[in-house]
């Protein structure tokens, strides 16, 4: 049984705040709900960015996610 | 910001090719931060090393692409370029512009940026080079509100799609590259602006097998125009080439005397399938043998045209060498009609794209291009995912090793056997 | 109204995409869309497309740097306004195309372009060296092994005569990428100029803790050469960091992309490799990869004489020897790569023998070869 969208978002945010490494790939969130489709997980994670709870972190070629304030950034070092 | 001495860069103001140094100096009169661009570049020329650092979280709110963060590693010497972020604007399909639109973009960039651009970046975006973090949101506001434009892709997003100019000014466009490019760009705005995938994903659209946007070499999803009926021949124009009335290859060889045009040597003998011959002064083509390489059409554009039953071949998985080595895109869908439905969508193309994505999002590893995923799992698995009937066209030649991964249900009786029963018949 | 910093999300517009292309078409393009009959190159840099309607579209193609200022774009707009109903386009190879709807309008346009010094060279059509596509280099990139705009300017100055003429056996596509990432894909170019690193990354143990996620740095290495390690930083504290097995390093820079505490760029280590014989078009032969023929040339700003000479030598040897229509890669395949090295005088080194993945594909597994000076 897949989680509801709100439950999925809560699980993603929990993982983003507690995972040992701050930056996570979208695939790292797939485990938050093994029954969810990759696209639903991606959409939920992107929603959390829109809500200001997570940030995108980009190497230019790769984009990762981080809970607000956790990622390392040039201007905030 | 003061002017810096640039003796090394000044050497690049010499010579007949347009000089970006002269151009930068001209721009610096209005945008003094360009003096610092020149100053830092001069330092790189002296040190033989870059002085840029990468920056991670920079972007406009809610977008995971379109801005690439960049910082100087010598900001105290060149404060004008301390922050120097890149802004990627999604270019209009095939890069036609009105001067009014370009002037609007120039004015916006004069206000918020360095005044320097790339026309265009490698993926096709109109790239604005060099702005600060505080300028990003106001720039984006005016870009969307006043210029009716948007950002392109970067990171693990769908990258800004790109197409050849196709039917706008070329007689060989076998489908409407610009319409497909624009329609899919609009359809996939979310995937362009927000990360969705294990890694980058590129669409490129070429109207014919000449492939002027290099789709087969650099795009994960390459749609390349082709046809499946007969090359159209104007026999009178063929004679025009033979008699020398028309220059071969549209005049592309006019700078050297290559002698009189010889249709046998220059067309028939260079045909890779040898499917053309002359009967008297009539050109014959065995179209069933033709592989649509375009050579004969390129050489005699007034006489030969692609057939009328037009569409495209879809190839999947090209990429530059990082990491496993360069890959060309693998021919996957031999022929697809590229047609819009009544809703204005290219539904059949969309279906192919989403089959790839649904699978790759699940199976692809982090930072693995789809071509590498296909390489890792094998083309047979990918063809099954795509629900494509395997055909000899999918390979250059059949495999030369016998190591077929048979499945239990393909073998009579399956794989469950009883070793005790076996031993009753076959002693140890 | 306008942007309100106190309320940045007010009236936010997103996901509107690019403007529709059709509004930017010159009238002759709009009218004849999808109804073009044939084309001719009436002189180097000038194309004529004939429509089924009998209309003609004349295009004047000019070379252009990829790095250009808004001042120059405004000048291009002035030209478009004066001659082309205010329309202009860019090609995939960074050329600018001005289009007019009659032959009579071509010469005034060409005269105007010529009056502006060397800013707008006409050419890049047919059997020429078209514009050299390239990446950012030292002007804006954080991972380059060489500059881009500077090398390209020096190369195009030297090949200028081939840009403005039609005297080659076929079109020659020259491209530059300033590191192995190839954000500009040069791996299928007739002549590719590629920035390479040759020193393994250094590790800044004092900065790595604050700058990098170690698992990302470790997993970024294609050859597993980056391993976790406990080391002492300069304060004498034990910290978790990484070590690099230098013998396995392929100098790709992936680790530096994921971890800025692992810089590998170096004034002496970095330089340029030359790859030859790639093509994208399906014309005659299938698309081909470029092959490594010169493993290293030093970075010698401001004009990179070694690289310029190497490119010119390959181009001119090909121009002299190849048959009409033959691309560089088709020529080399016909004469054999042993002959390519002999004719160009490029020393063959073991660096051109592949030992990466899929290497076997390039090894010779036949007794057919030519006896060149390489066989003593």
């Amino acid at each position: 049984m897949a989680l509801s969208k709100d439950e999925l978002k809560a699980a993603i945010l929990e993982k983003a705040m507690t995972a040992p490494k701050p930056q996570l790939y979208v695939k790292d969130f797939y485990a938050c709900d093994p029954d969810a489709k990759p696209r639903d997980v991606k959409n939920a994670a992107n929603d959390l960015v829109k809500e200001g709870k997570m940030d995108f972190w980009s190497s230019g070629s790769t984009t990762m996610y981080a809970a607000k304030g956790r990622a390392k950034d040039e201007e905030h070092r | 910001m003061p002017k810096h001495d640039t003796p090394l860069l000044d050497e690049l103001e010499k010579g007949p090719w347009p000089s970006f140094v002269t151009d930068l100096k001209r721009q610096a009169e209005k945008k003094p931060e360009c003096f610092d661009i020149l100053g830092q570049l001069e330092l790189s020329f002296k040190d033989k090393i870059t002085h840029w650092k990468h920056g991670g979280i920079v972007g406009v709110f809610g977008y995971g692409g379109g801005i690439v963060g960049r910082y100087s590693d010598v900001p105290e010497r060149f404060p004008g370029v301390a922050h120097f972020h890149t802004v990627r604007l999604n270019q209009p399909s095939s890069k036609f512009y009105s001067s009014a639109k370009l002037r609007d973009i120039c004015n916006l960039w004069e206000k918020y940026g360095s005044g320097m651009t790339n026309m265009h970046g490698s993926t096709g975006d109109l790239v604005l080079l060099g702005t600060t973090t505080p300028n990003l949101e106001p720039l984006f506001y005016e870009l969307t509100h006043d210029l009716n434009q948007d950002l392109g892709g970067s990171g693990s997003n769908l990258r800004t799609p790109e197409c050849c100019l196709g039917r706008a000014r070329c007689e060989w466009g076998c489908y409407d590259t610009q319409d497909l490019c624009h329609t899919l760009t609009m359809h996939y705005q979310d995937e362009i602006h927000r990360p969705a995938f294990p890694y980058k994903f590129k669409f490129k659209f070429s109207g014919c097998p000449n492939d002027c946007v290099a789709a087969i070499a650099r795009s994960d999803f390459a749609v390349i125009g082709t046809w499946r009926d007969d090359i159209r021949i104007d026999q009178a124009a063929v004679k025009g080439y033979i008699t020398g009335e028309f220059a071969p290859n549209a005049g592309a060889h006019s700078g050297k005397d290559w002698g009189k045009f010889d249709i046998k040597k220059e067309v028939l003998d260079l045909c890779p399938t040898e499917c053309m011959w002359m009967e008297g002064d009539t050109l014959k083509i065995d179209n069933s043998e033709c592989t649509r390489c375009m050579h004969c059409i390129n050489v005699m554009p007034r006489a030969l045209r692609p057939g009328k039953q037009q569409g495209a071949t879809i190839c999947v998985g090209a990429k530059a060498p990082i990491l496993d080595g360069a890959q060309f895109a693998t021919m996957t869908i031999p022929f697809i009609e590229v047609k819009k439905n009544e809703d204005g969508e290219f539904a059949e193309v969309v279906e192919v794209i989403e089959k790839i994505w649904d699978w790759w999002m699940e199976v692809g590893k982090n930072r693995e291009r789809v071509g590498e995923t296909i390489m890792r799992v094998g083309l047979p698995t990918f063809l099954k995912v795509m629900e494509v009937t395997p055909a000899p066209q999918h390979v250059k030649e059949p495999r030369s090793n016998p190591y077929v991964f048979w499945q239990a249900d393909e073998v009579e009786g399956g794989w469950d056997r009883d070793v005790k029963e076996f031993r009753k018949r076959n002693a140890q | 109204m306008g942007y309100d910093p106190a309320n940045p999300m007010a009236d936010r517009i997103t996901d509107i995409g690019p403007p529709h292309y059709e509004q930017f078409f010159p009238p002759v393009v709009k009218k004849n869309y999808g109804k073009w009959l044939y084309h001719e190159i009436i002189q180097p840099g000038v194309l004529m497309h004939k429509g089924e309607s009998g209309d003609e579209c004349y295009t004047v193609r000019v070379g252009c740097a990829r790095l250009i200022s808004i001042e120059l774009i405004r000048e291009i707009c002035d030209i478009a306004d004066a001659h082309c109903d205010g329309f202009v386009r860019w090609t995939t190879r960074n050329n600018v195309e001005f289009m007019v709807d009659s032959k009579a309008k071509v010469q005034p346009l060409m005269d105007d372009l010529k009056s502006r010094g060397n800013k707008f060279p006409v050419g890049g059509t047919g059997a020429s060296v078209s514009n050299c596509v390239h990446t950012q280099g030292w002007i804006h990139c954080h991972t380059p092994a060489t500059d881009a705009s500077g090398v390209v300017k020096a190369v195009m100055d030297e090949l200028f005569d081939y840009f403005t003429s039609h005297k080659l056996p076929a079109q020659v596509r020259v491209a530059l990428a300033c590191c192995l990432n190839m954000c500009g894909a040069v791996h299928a170019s007739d002549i590719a100029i590629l920035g390479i690193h040759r020193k393994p990354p250094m590790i800044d143990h004092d900065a790595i803790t604050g700058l990098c996620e170690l698992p990302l740095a470790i997993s970024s290495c294609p050859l597993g050469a980056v391993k976790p390690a406990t080391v002492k930083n300069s304060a004498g504290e034990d910290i978790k960091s990484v070590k690099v097995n230098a013998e396995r390093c392929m100098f790709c820079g992936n680790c530096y992309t994921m971890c800025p505490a692992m810089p590998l760029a170096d004034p002496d280590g970095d330089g340029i490799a030359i790859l030859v014989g790639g093509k994208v078009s399906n014309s005659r032969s299938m698309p081909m990869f470029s092959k490594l023929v010169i493993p290293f040339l030093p970075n010698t700003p401001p004009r990179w004489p070694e690289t310029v000479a190497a490119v010119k030598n390959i181009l001119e040897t090909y121009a002299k020897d190849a048959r009409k229509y033959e691309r560089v890669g088709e020529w080399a395949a016909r004469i054999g790569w042993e002959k390519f090295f002999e004719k160009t005088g490029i020393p063959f080194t073991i660096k051109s023998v592949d030992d990466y993945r899929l290497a076997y594909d390039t090894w010779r597994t036949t007794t057919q070869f030519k006896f060149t000076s390489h066989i003593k």
Side-chain angles (χ1 to χ4, degrees):
Chain A
M1 196 36 205
L3 301 177
S4 74
K5 187 161 188 187
D6 285 342
E7 289 166 335
L8 178 58
K9 280 161 69 174
I12 290 172
L13 191 57
E14 172 72 19
K15 174 144 195 173
M17 291 196 300
T18 57
K21 52 175 184 170
Q23 288 123 311
L24 296 164
Y25 289 104
V26 69
K27 285 188 78 90
D28 295 332
F29 297 128
Y30 286 4
C32 293
D33 180 1
D35 296 327
K37 288 196 169 126
R39 195 169 299 202
D40 297 331
V41 177
K42 177 265 289 185
N43 287 337
N46 288 346
D47 268 8
L48 286 163
V49 175
K50 275 184 215 160
E51 292 165 16
K53 293 171 184 160
M54 292 208 301
D55 279 324
F56 291 126
W57 181 92
S58 174
S59 75
S61 61
T62 312
T63 314
M64 305 178 77
Y65 297 82
K68 193 92 194 160
R70 276 198 84 194
K72 284 155 188 164
D73 178 52
E74 191 62 35
E75 272 169 63
H76 302 100
R77 267 163 66 194
Chain B
M1 268 155 262
K3 221 166 164 165
H4 307 278
D5 283 336
T6 54
L8 294 172
L9 290 178
D10 295 350
E11 291 297 312
L12 292 173
E13 293 198 86
K14 300 169 182 167
W17 189 251
S19 170
F20 69 96
V21 175
T22 307
D23 193 22
L24 263 163
K25 286 184 177 177
R26 175 191 190 188
Q27 187 64 52
E29 298 302 325
K30 278 196 182 175
K31 301 288 294 183
E33 55 261 57
C34 291
F35 286 128
D36 277 358
I37 304 179
L38 285 159
Q40 184 172 314
L41 186 61
E42 177 77 12
L43 184 65
S44 281
F45 270 49
K46 200 166 144 255
D47 294 348
K48 303 186 195 177
I49 203 161
T50 191
H51 283 289
W52 296 107
K53 294 194 292 187
H54 180 67
I57 304 179
V58 187
V60 299
F61 184 78
Y63 274 22
I67 311 282
V68 181
R70 192 71 77 227
Y71 301 90
S72 171
D73 72 4
V74 279
E76 61 295 333
R77 291 174 69 179
F78 306 106
V81 298
H83 299 208
F84 210 65
H85 310 321
T86 308
V87 180
R88 294 182 179 172
L89 301 195
N90 194 326
Q91 81 289 359
S93 285
S94 75
K95 308 186 188 86
F96 284 86
Y97 293 96
S98 66
S99 56
K101 170 60 76 180
L102 285 172
R103 287 182 203 278
D104 285 346
I105 293 170
C106 292
N107 294 341
L108 181 80
W109 194 232
E110 180 155 6
K111 188 172 171 187
Y112 290 115
S114 72
M116 293 311 296
T117 75
N118 286 146
M119 298 290 285
H120 294 74
S122 304
T123 298
D125 297 280
L126 194 168
V127 177
L128 305 176
L129 281 184
T131 191
T132 60
T133 309
N135 273 348
L136 291 172
E137 286 295 339
L139 180 147
F140 182 67
Y141 185 96
E142 287 184 34
L143 183 74
T144 50
H145 283 75
D146 304 336
L147 271 68
N148 192 30
Q149 296 227 180
D150 206 336
L151 302 182
S154 61
S156 310
N157 298 24
L158 172 61
R159 297 304 182 85
T160 309
E162 189 183 23
C163 62
C164 74
L165 91 173
R167 291 176 173 176
R169 205 202 60 206
C170 178
E171 62 271 32
W172 298 327
C174 290
Y175 71 96
D176 194 330
T177 52
Q178 288 159 108
D179 194 10
L180 181 61
C181 184
H182 185 78
T183 304
L184 291 178
T185 301
M186 299 310 283
H187 186 95
Y188 289 122
Q189 283 291 294
D190 187 40
E191 285 79 0
I192 290 172
H193 293 134
R194 292 163 203 90
F197 307 120
Y199 203 21
K200 63 183 90 167
F201 196 94
K202 298 185 179 185
F203 291 169
K204 295 206 188 291
F205 307 103
S206 277
C208 83
N210 283 328
D211 194 3
C212 286
V213 291
I216 205 163
R218 56 188 188 140
S219 61
D220 301 275
F221 187 78
V223 183
I224 301 172
T226 194
W227 65 94
R228 58 183 305 170
D229 55 347
D230 296 351
I231 291 173
R232 287 175 279 175
I233 309 179
D234 175 345
Q235 295 289 355
V238 173
K239 290 184 191 81
Y241 283 103
I242 294 171
T243 60
E245 186 188 345
F246 308 135
N249 221 13
H253 289 88
S254 61
K256 180 174 168 181
D257 182 10
W258 292 93
K260 191 177 180 301
F261 176 69
D262 179 343
I263 194 167
K264 179 166 186 314
K265 205 168 121 194
E266 299 187 34
V267 181
L268 311 187
D269 291 352
L270 292 181
C271 170
T273 64
E274 300 172 24
C275 70
M276 313 176 82
W277 68 98
M278 297 299 292
E279 280 182 21
D281 54 5
T282 303
L283 176 68
K284 296 283 184 184
I285 303 176
D286 180 353
N287 281 280
S288 68
E289 293 296 319
C290 172
T291 51
R292 303 168 310 288
C293 84
M294 293 296 292
H295 176 73
C296 60
I297 298 176
N298 289 339
V299 176
M300 303 194 293
R302 294 175 76 130
L304 302 177
R305 301 171 75 190
K308 285 181 168 172
Q309 196 188 341
Q310 300 184 338
T313 299
I314 296 178
C315 303
V316 181
K319 53 178 281 291
I322 295 283
L323 298 169
D324 277 341
Q327 286 177 235
F328 284 119
T330 300
M331 201 289 291
T332 303
I333 311 281
F335 188 80
I336 187 166
E337 273 191 76
V338 185
K339 287 248 167 70
K340 266 184 166 167
N341 64 15
E342 59 275 17
D343 301 326
E345 295 283 358
F346 290 94
E348 283 176 56
V349 179
V350 164
E351 195 188 322
V352 177
I353 291 167
E354 296 194 354
K355 246 183 226 170
I356 300 171
W357 283 354
D358 285 342
W359 169 77
W360 180 52
M361 288 166 77
E362 188 89 48
V363 173
K365 294 181 179 175
N366 292 325
R367 288 170 64 79
E368 183 178 68
R369 295 280 289 268
V370 73
E372 293 167 316
T373 313
I374 296 169
M375 185 88 98
R376 178 164 57 79
V377 304
L379 185 59
T381 301
F382 181 65
L383 293 178
K384 280 178 202 158
V385 167
M386 295 305 292
E387 300 172 275
V388 172
T389 308
Q393 284 82 352
H394 286 118
V395 293
K396 287 178 192 152
E397 59 188 26
R399 70 193 303 156
S400 48
N401 65 66
Y403 307 129
V404 174
F405 291 101
W406 293 100
Q407 302 291 306
D409 60 5
E410 291 176 312
V411 184
E412 294 75 6
W415 289 348
D416 287 332
R417 288 183 287 166
D418 186 339
V419 73
K420 293 211 167 64
E421 287 298 315
F422 176 79
R423 282 287 168 243
K424 285 179 193 164
R425 298 189 302 271
N426 302 70
Q428 202 174 352
Chain C
M1 285 305 286
Y3 177 72
D4 176 8
N7 193 5
M9 292 301 112
D11 310 324
R12 195 169 187 80
I13 296 174
T14 66
D15 301 290
I16 54 173
H20 196 272
Y21 50 90
E22 200 181 73
Q23 61 193 289
F24 305 128
F25 285 165
V28 67
V29 164
K30 198 164 177 175
K31 185 181 161 202
N32 294 281
Y33 194 87
K35 294 175 192 149
W36 296 104
L37 210 50
Y38 64 85
H39 75 282
E40 280 172 16
I41 313 171
I42 57 176
Q43 67 183 80
V46 184
L47 301 146
M48 186 280 287
H49 285 82
K50 185 89 171 180
E52 289 170 6
S53 63
D55 286 353
E56 293 177 344
C57 176
Y58 289 85
T59 301
V60 177
R61 181 177 292 171
V62 305
C64 184
R66 184 178 96 140
L67 174 69
I68 63 172
S69 69
I70 54 176
E71 292 307 303
L72 188 69
I73 298 174
R74 284 169 174 152
E75 190 171 345
I76 289 168
C77 289
D78 292 341
I79 298 166
D81 286 342
H83 300 275
C84 313
D85 303 309
F87 298 103
V88 63
R89 80 173 284 266
W90 266 260
T91 71
T92 309
R93 301 194 76 82
N94 310 122
N95 295 307
V96 181
E97 291 187 337
F98 296 101
M99 285 153 278
V100 293
D101 58 12
S102 81
K103 196 168 188 178
K105 296 178 181 172
V106 172
Q107 200 53 50
L109 169 60
M110 302 268 281
D111 293 343
D112 187 345
L113 293 167
K114 204 171 176 185
S115 74
R116 294 167 190 265
N118 71 348
K119 277 183 270 188
F120 303 107
V122 175
T125 53
S128 70
V129 173
S130 191
N131 204 343
C132 178
V133 293
H134 64 88
T135 56
Q136 298 287 19
W138 293 335
I139 197 85
H140 206 235
C141 182
H142 63 303
T143 65
T146 188
D147 188 37
S149 298
V151 187
V152 166
K153 161 72 177 151
V155 168
M156 288 309 288
D157 276 342
E158 191 68 24
L159 304 186
F160 188 75
D161 191 31
Y162 294 100
F163 177 81
T164 57
S165 65
H166 281 168
K167 56 190 178 188
L168 295 169
Q171 68 266 42
V172 175
R173 302 287 182 240
V174 185
L176 178 145
C178 57
C179 82
L180 304 192
N181 278 310
M182 292 196 196
C183 68
V186 302
H187 58 286
S189 306
D190 293 282
I191 302 177
I193 304 165
L194 178 64
I196 57 159
H197 303 289
R198 295 185 306 164
K199 294 193 183 186
M202 299 175 284
I203 302 159
D204 185 347
H205 296 301
D206 291 338
I208 198 163
T209 311
L211 220 46
C212 310
E213 297 312 322
L214 300 185
L216 294 181
I218 292 159
S219 63
S220 70
C221 181
L223 292 176
V226 181
K227 295 282 184 213
T230 303
V231 299
K232 282 201 191 318
N233 64 14
S234 45
E237 303 153 344
D238 279 337
I239 58 146
K240 284 188 176 156
S241 184
V242 296
K243 60 182 174 185
V244 174
N245 179 353
E247 280 176 19
R248 299 191 73 175
C249 181
M250 63 191 257
F251 314 100
C252 71
N254 256 283
C255 52
Y256 177 66
T257 296
M258 296 314 280
C259 173
M262 300 179 70
L264 73 163
D266 185 89
D268 300 316
D270 296 351
I272 283 172
I274 305 286
L275 292 86
V276 163
K279 77 191 259 286
V280 164
S281 148
N282 287 274
S283 190
R284 298 170 307 282
S285 53
M286 284 184 241
M288 293 189 257
F289 291 127
S290 314
K291 298 129 185 49
L292 184 119
V293 296
I294 302 179
F296 182 77
L297 295 167
N299 270 330
T300 44
R303 296 200 69 101
W304 281 264
E306 299 85 353
T307 297
V308 169
V311 171
K312 194 173 186 192
N313 170 41
I314 293 164
L315 181 76
E316 295 195 331
T317 308
Y318 153 79
K320 221 181 320 165
D321 202 62
R323 294 174 183 163
K324 192 178 178 186
Y325 303 108
E326 219 166 38
R327 296 284 293 267
V328 174
E330 294 171 312
W331 163 67
R334 174 174 61 80
I335 64 174
W337 284 92
E338 62 270 46
K339 281 279 181 193
F340 169 90
F341 282 98
E342 188 168 75
K343 283 176 193 263
T344 56
I346 297 171
F348 183 82
T349 75
I350 200 156
K351 304 284 189 293
S352 286
V353 183
D354 196 353
D355 54 1
Y356 194 59
R357 295 168 192 166
L358 314 174
Y360 175 84
D361 286 359
T362 62
W363 301 343
R364 193 177 305 240
T365 50
T366 165
T367 55
Q368 294 188 25
F369 59 85
K370 294 179 183 174
F371 283 103
T372 56
S373 55
H374 302 94
I375 310 294
K376 306 289 178 214

